[in-house]
Amino acid sequence: MDVESFWELMETCRRQAEGRDARLAWLRADLSRRPQLEIVDFQLCLDRVTRQAFHWDLVAAAERIFGGRCSDDDFDYFGLWMVGLGGQIFGRAVLDPDALADAPEVLALTGRSWRDWGEDWPGWELLDYVASEAYGLATGDPDPCGDRFHAAVRAQRGEHLVGRRVLAGERWNVRDEADATHRLPRLSVMFPLGDDS
C-alpha cells in the first residue's frame, strides 16, 4: 500500500459508512482481509500522512477551533481526525490551515460550545489502533497490546527512521488576535476566543 492507495481506501471508507464507529468497523474488516504486510503498510502510511500535519500553523488552527487550548494529545488526535476528512481537505489544510474553514465537519462546530460537540469532536484517536486490531484479526491471534503488530511495523519501517516528533514552522500565539486574524482569517471569525475558552 502506498500513500495514493491509502487515500483511496480512506475515501472508500467515507462512502461506505457514516459515523466514526461505523467507519472504523468497515476499515477494520477491510484491512483484516488483506495480507499482513499491507496492514502494516497502512499504519506506515497513516504515520507518514499525519506527520505532514506537524506544523505550528496547524497547531494554531487546532487551538483556535478548541477555543484557545490544545494539548499534545489533542493535536495528535486532531491530525488523525483530519485524515478522516479525506485526502483533498487534509492536503489543503496542510498547505493552508485556514482551509479547514471549508470542511463541513468544521462548519458543524461553529457557534457551538466545545462542551456540546459530542460525536462531532474533532479528534479520532481510535483510527491509530485500527490497523493493529485488523492485524490481530488477520493473524487469528488478537494481541490486546499489539506487540506483534508494532514489531512488524518497526521491522518494515526500520528503527533508523524512528524519530522524535518535530513541528515545522514557528510557534505563535493564537490568542494574539491581530496575528490570528492575519494567519487564520476565517477560523478566527468562526471560532472567536471568549469566555468559553
Side-chain angles (χ1 to χ4, degrees):
M1 179 177 294
D2 58 16
V3 172
E4 184 177 336
S5 55
F6 167 84
W7 281 120
E8 288 172 6
L9 178 61
M10 293 304 296
E11 293 296 338
T12 302
C13 180
R14 281 178 63 85
R15 288 190 303 271
Q16 295 295 321
E18 285 192 35
R20 281 177 243 187
D21 290 343
R23 287 168 58 195
L24 284 172
W26 184 92
L27 195 54
R28 186 182 307 109
D30 181 271
L31 286 171
S32 69
R33 292 188 294 270
R34 295 172 183 247
Q36 294 171 25
L37 183 57
E38 197 168 340
I39 301 169
V40 168
D41 285 344
F42 174 88
Q43 184 66 48
L44 292 172
C45 287
L46 179 62
D47 294 344
R48 189 175 312 125
V49 164
T50 54
R51 282 194 176 274
Q52 294 174 12
F54 289 177
H55 197 286
W56 282 112
D57 288 343
L58 271 167
V59 172
E63 286 180 342
R64 196 70 197 202
I65 292 169
F66 280 107
R69 74 203 150 290
C70 183
S71 70
D72 288 348
D73 285 345
D74 287 336
F75 184 67
D76 286 341
Y77 307 151
F78 182 81
L80 291 162
W81 175 78
M82 283 177 42
V83 169
L85 300 179
Q88 186 175 24
I89 291 174
F90 183 91
R92 287 183 59 217
V94 165
L95 296 174
D96 173 18
D98 203 43
L100 284 169
D102 296 328
E105 293 87 345
V106 173
L107 290 167
L109 303 174
T110 60
R112 297 166 53 197
S113 167
W114 58 269
R115 293 175 181 90
D116 300 325
W117 288 347
E119 294 295 317
D120 295 331
W121 190 268
W124 200 11
E125 177 185 5
L126 297 180
L127 179 60
D128 206 25
Y129 305 114
V130 73
S132 175
E133 295 166 355
Y135 191 87
L137 291 171
T139 61
D141 186 19
D143 177 6
C145 296
D147 292 337
R148 289 178 201 86
F149 170 73
H150 294 296
V153 169
R154 284 191 302 275
Q156 184 69 10
R157 177 179 53 210
E159 284 301 322
H160 64 284
L161 297 177
V162 179
R164 197 169 73 69
R165 175 173 95 164
V166 177
L167 290 162
E170 287 184 29
R171 186 175 194 167
W172 57 278
N173 184 358
V174 75
R175 292 183 175 279
D176 179 334
E177 288 297 333
D179 208 9
T181 299
H182 172 71
R183 294 177 188 240
L184 300 170
R186 294 183 292 158
L187 289 176
S188 293
V189 170
M190 292 168 66
F191 298 96
L193 301 184
D195 296 337
D196 197 32
S197 60

